[in-house]
Amino acid sequence: MGFKQFLKRRTLKARDDRRTKAAELTLRESLYPICLVTILFFLWGFSYGLLDTLNKHFQNTLGINKSRSSGLQAAYFGAYPLASLGHANWILRHFGYRATFIWGLCLYGIGALVAWPCILAKSFPGFCMAIFIIGNGLGSLETAANPYITVCGPPRYAEIRINISQAFNGIGTVVAPVLGSYVFFTFDDETALRNVQWVYLAIAIFVFILAFVFFLSVIPEITDADMAFQATETHANADDKPFWKQYRLFHAAFAQFCYTGAQIAIASYFINYIRDTQPTASDALASQLLAGAQGGFAAGRFFGVLLMKWVRPRWVFLWFLTMCIVFVAPSITQRGWTGMSMLYVTLFFESICFPTIVALGMRGLGRHTKRGSGWIVAGVMGGACVPPLTGVAADAHENTALAMVVPLCFFVAALSYAICVNFVPAYRDPADAFSTTEVGISGHHADEESGGEVAVLGDEKVVPAAEIEK
């Protein structure tokens, strides 16, 4: 293969108006791309877990209060809508998934490099700027990775696929606090800051290598035409409506905003909660307890996946989110190990909520899938809004436990979507239509790559794919 052919096979631009075999990928065909993209889930889980540990670390080393330290979460998650509704979504719609993966990894690496001089200068605002760049990179990755895992393979297993991939995100959130407990809290302040520098340098090197791996890899590009085909085959033709009338999508984005904000607030102030309710616990021990809680979070995803084999994902989602409310409420008034245990159980039940909102919210969007996924991922901005409110409440009352009333309120707001997707037919029917479809289970229809005619969006002269079998 010549150099020109090599570059041509790895072009980063994909036509969105042509249907390909990617519309009907089988489990075997989707295995390699899913494994490759799942690495990204671990990456941003690690980054998010590291952020929760750094929140308390900077309170100690830079002498800042709880509400100001939440600037890390505000910078990190505030970047998400800029990526998911802006630059990353534009790249996704005009070039494709692989280009967006590479773009996100490059931004992540640049942000990690920018963190180095900011830590040297002990500049908290500078480090927040570096985190903002990293947030743009991770927001780009989430904009592409969540919908890619959801649509890469048989639609009936979408919720199971994304929860398995997100389980590796949970593993990343476990590894980061464990690392932080040993390299941030067991050294003097100067040594600990140097350790932070080396961690971010290692991250930069790894993500640049991974970006090159994505450039070399040939993974299926799933187009708008592919998703329109899936919506037609399952009779979940929500994409017949204009984008601005996709009310289910916007409700899912609202639920994602509320849920993610509550999840991030609890994790961000978990160490503070332990220190306030259990004064004998050190920062290192509290960080290790956070890792244990995140371990429960990861385990909850695997448990949720098992349940989804026998119970519809929408019912599992409703049960898990309701349990989050049931168990976070006692943590407000309980103290010591009892209160901490309530948060442990809450994190366990948080596990499947985020990925299941993504999967259910994208059901039936068809040609609107790429654009719609950006709105659901933009809901992650809740992580920039709810933690500062929780921090203000904790500072005002000098009590982190009492501040847990803030995430409780946002959990209740997110529950509105779980109720609708189970009891309102306009929400429930498109979700159920994908649960029984044979797309990706039976053989492929004809497609352009094999020489058959398929539907091309906006071109009425081409025979629709649905008529090929007639």
Side-chain angles (χ1 to χ4, degrees):
M1 181 189 296
F3 185 67
K4 286 186 178 180
Q5 287 79 9
F6 174 83
L7 292 179
K8 186 177 180 180
R9 284 201 63 188
R10 284 154 185 81
T11 178
L12 297 180
K13 189 170 179 63
R15 283 192 60 179
D16 245 351
D17 58 352
R18 292 185 180 275
R19 183 166 71 79
T20 69
K21 287 181 179 179
E24 303 171 90
L25 288 173
T26 64
L27 288 172
R28 179 177 294 180
E29 291 168 337
S30 62
L31 187 60
Y32 172 72
I34 286 174
C35 289
L36 186 61
V37 174
T38 297
I39 297 173
L40 303 179
F41 285 82
F42 176 85
L43 264 183
W44 73 67
F46 180 84
S47 182
Y48 159 56
L50 198 61
L51 202 66
D52 293 335
T53 307
L54 288 173
N55 188 301
K56 178 59 177 173
H57 174 64
F58 284 138
Q59 289 175 33
N60 294 345
T61 58
L62 301 181
I64 58 178
N65 60 23
K66 296 171 185 174
S67 56
R68 191 181 175 204
S69 71
S70 67
L72 289 175
Q73 277 73 22
Y76 183 90
F77 293 104
Y80 268 65
L82 183 62
S84 65
L85 299 178
H87 54 83
N89 197 263
W90 186 90
I91 293 171
L92 180 61
R93 288 187 289 115
H94 290 83
F95 288 87
Y97 287 99
R98 194 160 60 95
T100 313
F101 293 144
I102 294 171
W103 169 251
L105 286 167
C106 288
L107 283 179
Y108 188 2
I110 291 169
L113 291 178
V114 169
W116 181 281
C118 298
I119 296 168
L120 268 178
K122 297 183 181 179
S123 171
F124 183 70
F127 189 75
C128 285
M129 181 184 70
I131 291 296
F132 182 76
I133 298 171
I134 290 173
N136 269 280
L138 293 172
S140 300
L141 294 178
E142 289 222 45
T143 299
N146 282 307
Y148 190 83
I149 292 291
T150 302
V151 302
C152 186
R156 68 161 63 177
Y157 303 128
E159 289 90 353
I160 293 176
R161 267 196 314 275
I162 193 169
N163 273 286
I164 290 174
S165 291
Q166 286 278 3
F168 288 89
N169 170 284
I171 292 171
T173 63
V174 174
V175 172
V178 171
L179 177 68
S181 70
Y182 289 108
V183 303
F184 300 156
F185 295 127
T186 57
F187 295 92
D188 61 84
D189 291 349
E190 289 297 325
T191 305
L193 283 174
R194 279 200 303 273
N195 290 340
V196 175
Q197 290 174 314
W198 288 112
V199 167
Y200 275 95
L201 179 61
I203 289 173
I205 293 170
F206 178 76
V207 297
F208 283 132
I209 292 172
L210 190 58
F212 186 65
V213 171
F214 268 93
F215 176 74
L216 294 179
S217 298
V218 179
I219 60 175
E221 282 287 352
I222 299 149
T223 66
D224 284 347
D226 292 331
M227 297 313 301
F229 166 77
Q230 284 191 3
T232 302
E233 288 290 296
T234 56
H235 308 292
N237 296 316
D239 71 329
D240 289 342
K241 298 178 182 178
F243 180 76
W244 296 108
K245 291 188 177 180
Q246 302 293 329
Y247 304 119
R248 293 184 300 105
L249 166 68
F250 297 120
H251 195 176
F254 168 76
Q256 197 70 284
F257 175 91
C258 296
Y259 163 75
T260 305
Q263 176 198 322
I264 303 305
I266 292 171
S268 299
Y269 290 102
F270 186 93
I271 294 177
N272 288 107
Y273 182 94
I274 298 297
R275 291 304 311 275
D276 288 355
T277 61
Q278 191 72 23
T280 58
S282 65
D283 288 342
L285 175 60
S287 182
Q288 291 164 1
L289 290 171
L290 172 60
Q294 296 289 16
F297 180 87
R301 283 191 168 151
F302 288 109
F303 178 65
V305 167
L306 287 176
L307 281 181
M308 287 177 187
K309 281 189 61 111
W310 295 284
V311 183
R312 288 192 185 275
R314 56 184 173 86
W315 285 115
V316 179
F317 170 49
L318 176 63
W319 177 45
F320 272 53
L321 189 53
T322 302
M323 290 299 101
C324 289
I325 296 169
V326 168
F327 284 100
V328 79
S331 72
I332 299 169
T333 56
Q334 298 301 309
R335 298 292 181 269
W337 301 119
T338 303
M340 187 201 72
S341 299
M342 294 298 102
L343 291 188
Y344 259 64
V345 180
T346 300
L347 263 73
F348 177 87
F349 283 111
E350 285 177 356
S351 55
I352 61 101
C353 295
F354 177 91
T356 309
I357 292 172
V358 172
L360 292 173
M362 289 174 56
R363 289 298 203 197
L365 288 180
R367 60 192 169 90
H368 302 306
T369 296
K370 288 182 179 178
R371 193 176 180 190
S373 68
W375 282 84
I376 297 177
V377 173
V380 172
M381 188 178 68
C385 301
V386 183
L389 292 176
T390 308
V392 169
D395 284 335
H397 297 280
E398 297 183 352
N399 188 334
T400 307
L402 187 60
M404 288 298 149
V405 74
V406 177
L408 172 63
C409 292
F410 281 89
F411 275 143
V412 172
L415 187 65
S416 65
Y417 179 70
I419 292 171
C420 286
V421 85
N422 279 282
F423 300 107
V424 177
Y427 286 69
R428 184 186 63 221
D429 294 346
D432 288 350
F434 274 78
S435 298
T436 56
T437 180
E438 291 297 311
V439 173
I441 305 296
S442 55
H444 288 287
H445 288 66
D447 60 49
E448 291 176 358
E449 294 176 0
S450 60
E453 289 186 322
V454 297
V456 177
L457 295 180
D459 186 357
E460 293 78 6
K461 296 179 182 180
V462 180
V463 180
E467 295 180 8
I468 292 176
E469 297 294 323
K470 296 181 180 179

